Each structure stands twice: as structure tokens, then as C-alpha cells.
Amino acid sequence: MISKNKLKELAAYRQQRRCDEEAVFVVEGPKMCAEAAASGFNIRVVCATGEWQAAGAECYEVSQAELERLSNFKSPNQVWMLVERRKPLPAADGRLVLALDRIQDPGNMGTIMRTADWYGIRHIVCSRDTVDCYNPKVVQASMGAIFRTRVDYVDLPQWLAACGMTVYGASLQGTPVTERGVGDGGRAVLLIGNESRGISDEAMAQVTHPVLIPNIGGTAESLNASVAAGILIDRLWNS
């Protein structure tokens, strides 16, 4: 059981500002919470409609109505966790680093993280005005990638200029991605821009290899940012 005061205290974590202040984030649903429990992250609190245990955490059994008071979603799913943010993972020495410039939609951000995770990309570098990777909708859409991926927020044009790697950037003026690849196992950065405005001029100035996804059908105006990221990751990864 959980007291009214404790429930009120935990409900305050629906506010991103409160989570940021305490360096925590919220995870919801059995699958994501199981990922959290297996991740090595410290779990501070667990609230569940049935029995649920996590080492070192305060655990409370709650009703569905109480779970709804905690949840960021219209249909909360069985379990809610408050998880401490871990210090950034070491930058992985992977073949491809993903850079995100001003991505705003939490669903896109989480889906991009999930796709990167599938391909073994463990390092994502973001402009400071990209959506927070600990936003509850990003966490949920990442399907566990949040626990395996280092995400850094930086002055992106400056980071790109100093990274010392080939920088591929999605551009309508680029060379078709089918004609290029990372090649020879060399490390590279793939830069994805804002959903409606693309890559900023400052970041584009650091792109060494602009690439284009050919519009074979010739009718669609644009691709969703997370879809475009997936296509480009696959093309560059498998080149």
C-alpha cells in the first residue's frame, strides 16, 4: 500500500523539471521496467498494481487509479518506476556515430534511438535544442535503447568541426546514398536534421559528404525524420 502523501510526492515527477533537478527519469510498463531492472541503473521507486520487486528500491502496491495519478500516459500499464540517471557511458568506439540537429518530436527521437540500438550504434550526439532523451515519451519510444546508449548534448557545429571524422548529412542537394558508403571500416558521423527545417546552416557547414535518399516514387514530399534516419543508417552501415 502507498500513503496519500507518498503518492502526492511521486506524482510531482510527472513534471520534467522535477526529474531534471534530481537527475531521475520515469519508466513505465512491464517490458520497459524489466529492461530497467536488468540495465544496472539504480531504481529508486517502484509502484505496481501487482507484486513487483527491484533490488534496493522502495516498492509499493497501488491501485489502477493511483497508477493513473503517477503516469504520463492515458492508459498506464501495470508498473511505474523512478530511475536514477547514470553518468554518461564512455563514448563507444563504434563505426558510426549519430548526430541529431534540433529533433523536436519525442516519438521521432525515441524511434531513432531504437533504430540506432538495433544497429549497435551506442553514441548519439545532439544539439542542445534537441528534445530531452529523458522525456517520458522518448524513453517509452526508445524501447530500452535509453539504457544502452550514450546521449550527449553539445554545441553541435563545434563538435562536428572537432570530431575528426567524415560527416554524412541528409540533404536534398546530396549524392544518392546508394552511391556512397562509410567504406574501409572508417569511423563516420551521420547527421539528421529537424523534422521540418532539416539541418541548420551552421551544422551543414561541417558536413563533408551530403547524401540524399532518392525519391523513387516521385510523389511524396518528404520522409519522416526517424524513417530517413533508419534508411541512411542501413545504407551507410551495410556499404
Side-chain angles (χ1 to χ4, degrees):
M1 302 295 290
I2 189 170
S3 70
K4 290 182 178 179
N5 285 341
K6 189 65 178 182
L7 187 66
K8 182 178 179 180
E9 174 191 326
L10 296 178
Y13 292 100
R14 293 180 65 176
Q15 300 176 17
Q16 188 68 30
R17 182 177 178 181
R18 178 69 178 271
C19 290
D20 292 343
E21 288 172 351
E22 297 190 26
V24 295
F25 64 107
V26 171
V27 178
E28 299 191 46
K31 185 180 186 306
M32 284 292 294
C33 288
E35 290 258 20
S39 68
F41 280 66
N42 291 325
I43 300 168
R44 186 181 292 183
V45 184
V46 179
C47 294
T49 54
E51 185 176 343
W52 190 286
Q53 296 294 321
E58 300 175 36
C59 297
Y60 300 95
E61 188 169 344
V62 296
S63 67
Q64 184 66 25
E66 288 169 332
L67 193 66
E68 288 173 2
R69 284 193 60 188
L70 301 174
S71 178
N72 289 286
F73 300 97
K74 291 182 179 179
S75 300
N77 187 11
Q78 300 180 47
V79 58
W80 177 100
M81 279 184 175
L82 189 65
V83 182
E84 295 180 6
R85 301 180 189 182
R86 187 162 59 188
K87 291 180 180 179
L89 297 168
D93 188 22
R95 183 181 177 196
L96 199 60
V97 176
L98 197 57
L100 305 180
D101 184 24
R102 305 178 298 173
I103 294 294
Q104 297 297 300
D105 182 83
N108 279 338
M109 177 71 172
T111 302
I112 289 169
M113 292 177 68
R114 181 180 180 182
T115 302
D117 185 36
W118 180 267
Y119 282 87
I121 297 169
R122 303 295 179 216
H123 192 191
I124 298 178
V125 179
C126 304
S127 64
R128 292 197 173 99
D129 48 0
T130 291
V131 62
D132 188 352
C133 66
Y134 291 111
N135 177 298
K137 292 181 179 178
V138 175
V139 171
Q140 208 69 14
S142 81
M143 292 302 291
I146 187 70
F147 302 116
R148 294 180 289 273
T149 307
R150 176 180 175 129
V151 182
D152 291 321
Y153 287 81
V154 300
D155 181 320
L156 191 56
Q158 186 178 80
W159 184 90
L160 292 168
C163 72
M165 290 182 275
T166 299
V167 180
Y168 292 88
S171 169
L172 293 176
Q173 284 73 49
T175 300
V177 71
T178 49
E179 299 178 19
R180 288 193 181 276
V182 174
D184 301 323
R187 297 193 72 210
V189 178
L190 171 59
L191 176 61
I192 303 295
N194 175 268
E195 290 89 344
S196 60
R197 293 174 290 165
I199 298 170
S200 66
D201 291 342
E202 296 81 5
M204 184 57 78
Q206 306 305 324
V207 170
T208 59
H209 294 75
V211 289
L212 167 72
I213 300 171
N215 185 349
I216 295 171
T219 52
E221 181 180 335
S222 62
L223 282 172
N224 172 276
S226 60
V227 172
I231 293 169
L232 290 169
I233 288 169
D234 183 76
R235 289 292 187 178
L236 294 174
W237 189 264
N238 290 305
S239 61

